[in-house]
Amino acid sequence: MADLSKYRNIGIFAHVDAGKTTTTERILKLTGKIHKTGEVHDGESTTDFMEQEAERGITIQSAATTCFWKDHRMNIIDTPGHVDFTVEVYRSLKVLDGGVGVFCGSGGVEPQSETNWRYANESEVARIIFVNKLDRMGADFYRVVKQVEDVLGANPLVMTLPIGTEDDFVGVVDVLTQKAYVWDDSGLPENFEIQDIPADLVEKAAEYREMLIETAVEQDDDLMEAYLEGEEPSLEDIKRCIRKGTNELAFFPTYCGSAFKNKGVQNVLDAVVDYLPSPTEVKPQPLTDEEGNETGEVATVSTDEPLRALAFKIMDDRFGALTFIRIYSGMLNKGDTVLNSYTGKTERIGRMVEMHADERTELNSAQAGDIIAVVGMKNVQTGHTLCATDHPCTLEPMVFPDPVISIAVKPKDKGGSEKMGIAIGKMVAEDPSFVVESDEETGETILKGMGELHLDIKVDILKRTYGVELEVGKPQVAYRETITQAIEDSYTHKKQSGGSGQFGKIDYRIKPGEPGTGFKFESTVVGGNVPREFWPAVEKGFKSMLDEGVLAGFPVLDLEVELFDGGFHAVDSSAVAFEIAAKGAFRQSIPKAGPQLIEPIMKVDVFTPEDHVGDVIGDLNRRRGMIKSQEAGVTGVRIKADVPLAEMFGYIGHLRTMTSGRGQFSMEFSHYLPCPNSVAETVIEEVKARNEKK
């Protein structure tokens, strides 16, 4: 049996370009997993193995890999930084116990790092911070530490200080042991010497050590008392306190270095072993019932418990379908039969493998705390629970955001449609934030996703990986409809045809709900004018009409319906009659309730050099944007704004032209707001024209 206290399941996450993948490469090199390091900018890194990743120099899928450091086993997941793929970050955090947040020494805390940090806070994942790229122009470790405090509202516990900056960055000072680690120019990570602290840093190092101890001893009252009386705690005690505080998210041990130049990565690996939790130290996952409500039981991490595991990712590669699973409790052996509690069907475990990016090692058994992949599972999807057949249970499932943008595609030739169907089936299983629907009237396939880049890459994968040539329509915004006025109304459905007829009368009020509340239904009927058994039918009738609004056929959001009276007939009333009455009522009343088109508003974060700020703000205003804030940094200005998605298509091209290629931006969905009349009229006209064509 493996010793679980020697396991570390960690994720590496950060903003695009902060150096996550390079950091992962260095970790693999240091732990002896690979002998030649590949560089991201040459398109050769180990974990970016998709063609699309090598070409664009970004990480799209989270890649999993296993390595060893000081007899500890590390399962590492390198996650993407781009906002369109945050779903990958979100689902990786779900199955990890700890993380390393990488920040760029010159870029600092960037928009995407905020989103990822927020996800990690929600998932209550302990993490350490690595400020990378200190060899870069404009890098400033102390400024980034300050940003971590101000922007993320987090408490960084500084563990190493940089020696020199930019081109003169040669090593780090270990604050705890008061020793300097200095690397030579060979570029080899193992070529460093432990020296005395350079004279100009002695005072600073002592000051930081005092701050470090003061923060650490807060975790232990006895040590704190002794420390206040002038007694310094032992190194073991300090480390124990740091470990406790890290696991309770009281603070985040913060390191510095340059992964590309191989400096300072060992200290981060030591910190993972010393301070990040093992699987047994993390709060166990709650179990839920079929409705998703917590039952009060938990999946205790132990090999003596029955099997409980979560499928968190599905990947299709040249060997067939791989299902990545995190085992929370129990053992899993080759040939076992397990129950998928979501489908109620059992599956037999064939081949199990341990992944190293896209290579694999066969396994015969795995246990609580492991992250492994199973080959060839049939009906398992992301978020399904696998458990022992005699102990059925459900682990808390994952929640994925709704897509905000769609494009229509159709294959260029007849033979392509079958190929496309199979390919899309595989892609939907791999990525839960990618949704596909078909428009039966036009024969088009509608792809929906989290942003332009997301859909761009999906079309690219269809073309290259699956050889399907597509005609792509222009992107469509996911508009919605809602109402602005409350209305009280009545509707009677009656139909007489030979034999028994149909009768249902409802009196109801419809009013706008709070934004983001969806659909609410309540019945306040007293005295049995509409018998209780017909209430669900009325709700069902209204609910079934929400998919198509009256203005342009977009789904209807934020609506409250109250059934307060009505009438029934002892013979002719039935659930069907009341359902039809509710549908008629919707068609009759919604047009009277001030229907309105609402559009998705995106939280946009733009980074621009100072001399282009005016142009960028002017341009965002022209796009109907609301500027929220602007803050100057060392290398440029960050502008935050809320902008309608409809105005943001192709924005990256404009931004690059305006800022001579130096601008960057990221955006994520924020909320829905009413469209201005002129925009609403245009959208409704377009929909009408499309429908007439059909």
Side-chain angles (χ1 to χ4, degrees), residues 332-406:
L332 185 62
N333 298 305
K334 201 169 161 172
D336 280 358
T337 299
V338 297
L339 172 71
N340 175 345
S341 64
Y342 182 84
T343 58
K345 295 195 168 76
T346 54
E347 295 240 7
R348 194 167 166 279
I349 302 288
R351 291 167 56 209
M352 297 194 305
V353 293
E354 180 182 285
M355 293 301 290
H356 171 53
D358 62 344
E359 293 163 27
R360 64 207 41 214
T361 321
E362 297 269 340
L363 299 172
N364 289 322
S365 74
Q367 59 162 33
D370 277 333
I371 294 179
I372 58 156
V374 179
V375 184
M377 295 193 105
K378 296 284 182 294
N379 301 313
V380 179
Q381 304 224 318
T382 300
H384 287 184
T385 301
L386 301 174
C387 52
T389 46
D390 51 353
H391 282 89
C393 71
T394 308
L395 288 157
E396 189 180 36
M398 306 184 193
V399 185
F400 295 110
D402 289 332
V404 289
I405 173 175
S406 62

Side-chain angles (χ1 to χ4, degrees), residues 79 139 159 177 188 295 322 341 462 492 548 581 692:
T79 62
M159 304 291 290
T177 58
L188 292 170
T295 55
L322 287 175
S341 64
L462 279 169
T492 308
E548 265 191 48
E692 278 161 15

